[in-house]
Amino acid sequence: MNFFGKLSNAFHIHLGKTRKKSIPAHLKGIFRRRGTGCNALSEDCAEPVVVLAGNPNVGKSTVFNRLTGLRQHTGNWAGKTVETAEGFFRYGGRRFRVVDIPGMYSYTPRSAEEDAALKFLLSGSADAVVVVCDAGCLRRGIAFALETAELTRSIIICVNLTDEAERRGIHVDTRRLSKILGMPVIPASAAHGKGMRELEECIAGECSKVKPPAHSGISAPEEQKPCDAACAASRRILTADAVCEQCVVRDKANSRSKLDMKLDRIFTGRITGRVCMLMLLCAVFWLTIIGANYPSEWLAEIFSRLEHPLRQRLDFFSAPGFIKNMLVEGVYRVMTKIISVMLPPMAIFFPLFTLLEDSGYLPRAAFNLDSCLHKCGTCGKQALTSCMGFGCNAVGVTGCRIIDSPRERIIATVTNSFIPCNGRFPILTALISMFFLGSAAPPFDSVLGAMMLTGLICLGLAASFGVSKLLSVTLLRGTPSSFALELPPYRKPRFLSVIIRSALDRTIFVLGRAAAVAAPAGALIWITANIRIGGASLLNIICQFLDPLGSLLGMDGVILTAFILGFPANETVIPLMIMAYMAHGSITGSNDTAAIRSLLLDNGWNVSTAVCVMLFTLMHWPCATTCVTIYRETKSLKWTALSIIIPTLTGCVVCAFAAAVMRALGIQ
């Protein structure tokens, strides 16, 4: 999603002192020439450093993208940018390096990223600081700019989102604002490229000025007494109020603002908000289900036809039979199965999800779930990370960085695997269609399937909330942090940007990672199915060993073995079951739902088995990619292990209980 390392690892500076061991390679040039009068971000003193600062959700990342041409992900809710990003732009034959630091409401840091950003500014390494403000909420941006002026010089104010503010009847007199503050002020609409050339010109002018010595004797905000910090903050807010009264004009009657208020009454209402959230979720799944079926079949057919030429090519190179079969029947079939199953749903789900993000709806969803999460000992930001988990749990775990409280961040990380990712949807949808839709005629079958899938998602969310509550009163006791979330105005999504961002930042990224994991997994699966001990394959031996546990959970040993071997990628679970039931030595490419259902029924499946398999699909260990991501984020084997153990134990308990109840009721 971002191209560079964490800013929190980049700087460990205290008023100009640097510990170079903690600076990653791509930023080592920042302090390489400190003490020589060079503030450049590399050894070349002619390359000035420009810092982009500002509150969350003011379009700062969009300004960065416009200046540098890089395609960094731009979020629509507070706290989305938690990593730094770097890029370059040229103006007047000179190159400028731009550093995008995390969005902050003040310089009293609440996270490692914000603390690193503060220390970076205090170090005096920036030649110019561009404070990006939201024209529709200028008061807060001005207060932040005044606080920035206490820490560094050469400040430029970029009043962004001017077009959006004008649609809401808000007009900013930027010339008067510049005169009052004594700082350059550039009006802009970065999403449409307006004002960017003027901003580049202003940056070049500020960086060419002779800089006075940096402030001396300044104490960081966290070092100030609480009473002094509170008084300073109040003084800045009063000043910002007085400035906005002179520079901001609001239309008394504006239909756009009234429309936003009416929509918020619906989307954030106590009852209507949650109903709308369920309806939107159901609609997204319905569109994903009906849109992904045929492309998946087409891809499977194409890959099946390519298998013969691949065998011929391996024969041409005189590949040994063992290697040839392992590559074709193991690696190739597993990888192509994952691609044909994952690609179409992701190509539909991610753009739909991004449209909701771009339109400004996701913060409303977090607001609706905040009260539930607060009762569980966490806050509404966990809802946002859960939404990311629908696409990929690894992405959801990475998104937990937006949560300020370390305790709540770990809770969100551990419970994210209860959210079914894109790799689990094929299992759920296949079982729903085979065992529960029956004779429902189109389009009612897809509607009913989407409703059942939505119900399963709600069950996964309930499990996530329950485990969050359990952790908050046991291993991770503490008081829930306050949740201040800015609700952005409703915006018309930029469809071209949505498609590009969804394809590059999400679909291709997740698919590539899954395929990389699937290659060795395919080889392992083929080996277990073809190594024979005493006349039985290793795969059959494992299935028989796990059969008693599987029966206790309402399943069988084949199903548990498929889940275990599917650890690298959940998409392989059903093909593994089919392979074991058919006693094949390779993974099958069959997409005939009726044939698969008949095979499962012949091997003892019934409605009770399907229910238990769906429950275990919802609640079991995260995939290999997610486990690696959890360790990278937490740097803890303990929490990585618990992230595997907790959902697995939960799934086992739920499945055993459900199986016992259905046996007692005689459900078959």
Side-chain angles (χ1 to χ4, degrees), residues 225-247:
K225 295 181 179 179
C227 58
D228 294 339
C231 290
S234 299
R235 184 173 63 252
R236 288 191 293 268
I237 291 173
L238 291 174
T239 303
D241 283 336
V243 171
C244 289
E245 285 182 6
Q246 300 181 57
C247 303

Side-chain angles (χ1 to χ4, degrees), residues 217-272:
I218 297 178
S219 59
E222 69 266 29
E223 297 172 351
Q224 297 177 355
K225 295 181 179 179
C227 58
D228 294 339
C231 290
S234 299
R235 184 173 63 252
R236 288 191 293 268
I237 291 173
L238 291 174
T239 303
D241 283 336
V243 171
C244 289
E245 285 182 6
Q246 300 181 57
C247 303
V248 179
V249 178
R250 297 175 181 268
D251 296 343
K252 292 184 178 180
N254 184 266
S255 58
R256 182 82 180 186
S257 298
K258 292 180 179 179
L259 177 61
D260 282 7
M261 292 177 66
K262 290 179 181 179
L263 290 174
D264 274 339
R265 290 193 188 100
I266 299 173
F267 288 124
T268 61
R270 180 170 296 183
I271 298 175
T272 58

